Amino acid sequence: FSRVFKTSRKTWRVARGARVAQHPRVERGFTLIETIIAVSLLAVALVTLAQFVGAGVQTGAAARARATTTVMAEQKMEQLRSMSWAAIAGTPGDVTDYLDASGGVRCEGAIEPCGEAVYERRWFATLASFSTGVLIIQVDVSPIGKGHGRTTLVTARARMTP
């Protein structure tokens, strides 16, 4: 003889005299609170990651702008190094060039930047205070308007005496 036990999913046959353990009903899955906590932790992690990505993009853009202005300043410095001491010394005061994104001169002779200008390059040469035979040459390149990447290069040039 056997006894029959029925549950919602299965029918069990148990021999007579056997004991059947009564187990509490086991539910599988996540509770609402566990799900909310998991989603909250995931959201915090994603927001933090997004901030790092944003900071990395901004830092990369600033480094790229600084590298561009440095190249433009070096180009002008090399051009000035190829000139004679007298030609550099005879240049009146502060000279300004307006440059496009690739470093080409735009708005030639203009006092204000034109629409194509992205960078402003200023340079000047002054006699050194410690010697009349030495010029201090400074080249400064910066983006027009707001932006990162200002570069200033300074060098000294001595007059060659025969």
Side-chain angles (χ1 to χ4, degrees), residues 32-46:
L32 180 60
I33 301 228
E34 290 172 330
T35 305
I36 289 172
I37 290 172
V39 168
S40 298
L41 289 174
L42 183 63
V44 168
L46 289 176

Side-chain angles (χ1 to χ4, degrees), residues 9-121:
R9 295 186 184 172
K10 221 172 186 181
T11 302
W12 302 88
R13 292 187 182 267
V14 179
R16 194 169 202 187
R19 294 187 180 179
V20 177
Q22 298 292 327
H23 292 290
R25 193 171 170 182
V26 177
E27 296 287 332
R28 297 212 169 147
F30 298 103
T31 65
L32 180 60
I33 301 228
E34 290 172 330
T35 305
I36 289 172
I37 290 172
V39 168
S40 298
L41 289 174
L42 183 63
V44 168
L46 289 176
V47 167
T48 304
L49 181 64
Q51 288 175 343
F52 282 126
V53 169
V57 167
Q58 188 176 17
T59 302
R64 187 173 28 262
R66 181 160 289 124
T68 301
T69 57
T70 301
V71 167
M72 292 175 185
E74 287 175 347
Q75 287 172 343
K76 187 62 176 184
M77 193 63 80
E78 288 301 317
Q79 181 184 12
L80 292 170
R81 285 183 183 139
S82 70
M83 294 170 62
S84 69
W85 190 93
I88 297 171
T91 304
D94 196 0
V95 179
T96 302
D97 298 325
Y98 296 102
L99 311 171
D100 61 15
S102 63
V105 177
R106 297 286 181 246
C107 323
E108 205 160 333
I111 297 172
E112 295 291 322
C114 61
E116 299 172 339
V118 179
Y119 296 99
E120 177 182 54
R121 180 171 61 194

